[in-house]
Amino acid sequence: MKTKVKLAPSILSADFARLGEQVAEATRAGADYIHIDVMDGHFVPNISIGIPIIASLHSWTNLPLDVHLMIQHPERCISQFAKSGADIITIHVEACSSLHRVIHSIKELNVKAGVALNPATTLTSVEEIIPYVDLILIMSVEPGYGGQSFIPSSLDKISRLRKMLDNKKSNAELEVDGGITIDNATSIVQAGADVLAIGSSIFNAKKGISQAMQMFRKAVS
Ligand code: DX5
Ligand code: ZN
């Protein structure tokens, strides 16, 4: 039987002035990870948050912190992110010339290692690294901003990655990030996702964070 799908509220869409409270609410509402988007203004045009904010979240949640690095040359600051208490560090295949080495250095710090792919990046770019990673993240929008629409062809990409992971008997989690709503969550899970990173549909939900979390839990169960 498929293990429970994990919900990872993405704080990019949170109210940063009340970040701690909102993370605590998502935690109480049954989140599995807290997804944290780090952007450098180079790899993506936007700049978001960094190491001190990640460190400060520990007083608001005891959930694993799923840190998604949208930064060039992530190898330069992996150890600081590990020290800040990241439980999973995901780097982009497009941002990194020595993927194998960087994955190895993340794992040496006793942190789970993930690799992310932009929408136009093919699955073959991560095929060889599958045995060494704990998570593969498929971007279903161009990275950089919350609130964009899910790119429909991502569904096929998710199912192809699912098959690839199953064929290789990999336990790596398949995370999907971008444009997930209550209307498409079920089909994303049916295509093979294990973890859903959800930003605006949780933090900007009219009915509030807790209610949105409940609706997503229902949609993926
Ligand atoms: C975008 C980020 C996402 C973002 C998703 O680059 O990686 O995690 O927060 O936001 P939504 O769910 O609004 O598309
Ligand atoms: Zn993300």
Side-chain angles (χ1 to χ4, degrees), residues 95-155:
C96 201
S97 50
S98 309
L99 196 55
H100 191 276
R101 185 183 301 144
V102 185
I103 294 291
H104 188 68
S105 63
I106 295 173
K107 299 193 72 142
E108 272 193 328
L109 295 162
N110 284 324
V111 175
K112 288 188 175 171
V115 62
L117 295 91
N118 281 344
T121 304
T122 58
L123 293 176
T124 50
S125 62
V126 292
E127 196 171 0
E128 303 305 325
I129 204 83
I130 287 175
Y132 308 101
V133 294
D134 300 291
L135 182 145
I136 300 187
L137 183 154
I138 292 204
M139 283 304 309
S140 40
V141 298
E142 284 294 349
Y145 299 96
Q148 303 178 76
S149 299
F150 186 86
I151 297 172
S153 58
S154 309
L155 272 186

Side-chain angles (χ1 to χ4, degrees), residues 58-121:
H58 294 288
S59 42
W60 295 93
T61 187
N62 50 18
L63 290 175
L65 302 182
D66 171 27
V67 177
H68 176 193
L69 297 184
M70 282 159 275
I71 63 178
Q72 284 294 357
H73 304 299
E75 62 278 5
R76 293 181 188 159
C77 42
I78 293 299
S79 65
Q80 289 108 296
F81 280 103
K83 272 192 207 122
S84 76
D87 296 278
I88 306 165
I89 296 179
T90 295
I91 56 173
H92 266 263
V93 58
E94 306 86 359
C96 201
S97 50
S98 309
L99 196 55
H100 191 276
R101 185 183 301 144
V102 185
I103 294 291
H104 188 68
S105 63
I106 295 173
K107 299 193 72 142
E108 272 193 328
L109 295 162
N110 284 324
V111 175
K112 288 188 175 171
V115 62
L117 295 91
N118 281 344
T121 304

